[in-house]
Amino acid sequence: MTDTYVCVDLETTGLDPKRDKIIEIGAVRVEQGEAVEEWETFVNPGQKLPERIVELTGIHDGELSKARPIREILPEFLTFVGEDVLLGHGVLFDFSFLKKAAVNEKLSFERQGIDTLKIARKYLKELESRSLGALCRHYGISHSAHRALSDARATAALYQKLAQEFYEKDIEAGEKSLFLPKQLLYRAKRDTPLTVAQKEQLYKLLDRHKLIVDYEVESLTRSEASRKIDQILAECGR
């Protein structure tokens, strides 16, 4: 069983790493089964938060406006993680956002991971839900849902509970153990920044139609800028 890893959790603006952004990162370093270090930060996504995310997380735009963008934060996070295994509840979700961010900055990010959600789905089929919140209630783990560091702490504690109860059964079954790290795979394509022509056109359209937008023009990618321009043209004309 792996007892040294970094448990990571993200809060994001949505579920799609190709379009949505990271807004909070929380991580807990565990060595020999003991939490020894924590790391957390807000991330400025360069856009207004959807109301559903504000309601879900309690995070507000004012908090994020003071935070740094992911391009400045990512190197610090990668230093904290080092070469350690990642642990997460649905770890591929978190990995996909981090991998996308790394690819955008021309950084390498390949990791092995352990997924507590997969373990719970295998051994706790009788539970109505295997969400992190439901499993924390099942095991009596203290947890404040939908905040990155709290979720990371809870997931690390959950892994220990699952291991105590099911690790020996997992090994005895003669199968490839879900408690051991597996290579995390997510293919990410690098975003390119908006072009000078796109930026000029977008600023002209915003000024011409007196539009107030909830995103930072300078932070848009080429594809995002194209969608914004098309939307304005469709709704307001040239």
Side-chain angles (χ1 to χ4, degrees):
M1 178 187 140
T2 302
D3 59 5
T4 297
Y5 50 84
V6 173
C7 187
V8 63
D9 187 85
L10 308 179
E11 300 302 328
T12 63
T13 60
L15 302 177
D16 185 354
K18 296 177 182 177
R19 294 193 177 192
D20 294 309
K21 309 293 184 182
I22 299 170
I23 60 173
E24 188 179 35
I25 306 174
V28 179
R29 177 179 300 285
V30 176
E31 296 179 359
Q32 305 301 314
E34 296 292 333
V36 297
E37 191 176 4
E38 297 182 341
W39 193 93
E40 66 174 328
T41 186
F42 283 130
V43 182
N44 189 333
Q47 63 186 57
K48 184 178 175 61
L49 286 179
E51 189 58 37
R52 69 182 186 281
I53 300 300
V54 176
E55 293 174 358
L56 184 69
T57 65
I59 298 171
H60 296 275
D61 291 309
E63 295 172 299
L64 300 184
S65 66
K66 303 170 186 175
R68 295 174 294 163
I70 189 65
R71 66 177 179 273
E72 295 179 17
I73 291 169
L74 191 61
E76 295 177 16
F77 173 76
L78 296 182
T79 297
F80 179 82
V81 172
E83 298 300 319
D84 282 349
V85 168
L86 296 184
L87 177 80
H89 197 69
V91 68
L92 190 60
F93 173 86
D94 304 288
F95 176 75
S96 65
F97 274 87
L98 293 167
K99 177 70 177 289
K100 176 67 172 175
V103 167
N104 282 344
E105 299 306 314
K106 300 181 180 179
L107 297 172
S108 175
F109 189 58
E110 304 297 336
R111 287 295 183 279
Q112 291 191 322
I114 302 170
D115 192 344
T116 52
L117 178 58
K118 287 185 177 180
I119 298 171
R121 283 175 173 169
K122 179 177 180 179
Y123 287 111
L124 295 169
K125 296 177 181 178
E126 74 281 4
L127 296 185
E128 185 175 340
S129 170
R130 268 83 67 191
S131 70
L132 182 58
L135 292 167
C136 285
R137 289 190 293 273
H138 177 73
Y139 283 111
I141 297 170
S142 178
H143 176 224
S144 296
H146 301 299
R147 291 304 301 267
L149 184 56
S150 176
D151 284 351
R153 288 170 178 162
T155 301
L158 173 63
Y159 179 64
Q160 296 297 324
K161 294 285 189 181
L162 292 169
Q164 290 168 11
E165 189 169 356
F166 300 115
Y167 177 64
E168 292 301 327
K169 293 180 182 179
D170 203 50
I171 295 300
E172 290 170 3
E175 302 173 5
K176 200 169 184 180
S177 175
L178 292 175
F179 288 92
L180 300 180
K182 312 291 190 303
Q183 191 67 35
L184 296 172
L185 300 174
Y186 178 76
R187 184 173 296 177
K189 182 179 179 181
R190 183 173 180 265
D191 291 328
T192 53
L194 78 170
T195 65
V196 173
Q198 283 179 315
K199 181 165 64 173
E200 290 177 352
Q201 183 181 12
L202 192 48
Y203 275 129
K204 285 179 181 178
L205 287 170
L206 293 176
D207 181 62
R208 183 178 302 150
H209 297 292
K210 309 302 180 188
L211 299 175
I212 298 175
V213 295
D214 57 5
Y215 52 85
E216 298 172 8
V217 171
E218 304 287 339
S219 71
L220 295 176
T221 66
R222 183 178 298 183
S223 59
E224 288 172 338
S226 180
R227 288 195 295 271
K228 300 296 185 186
I229 290 169
D230 289 345
Q231 181 181 13
I232 293 172
L233 292 174
E235 294 178 358
C236 304
R238 296 184 177 276

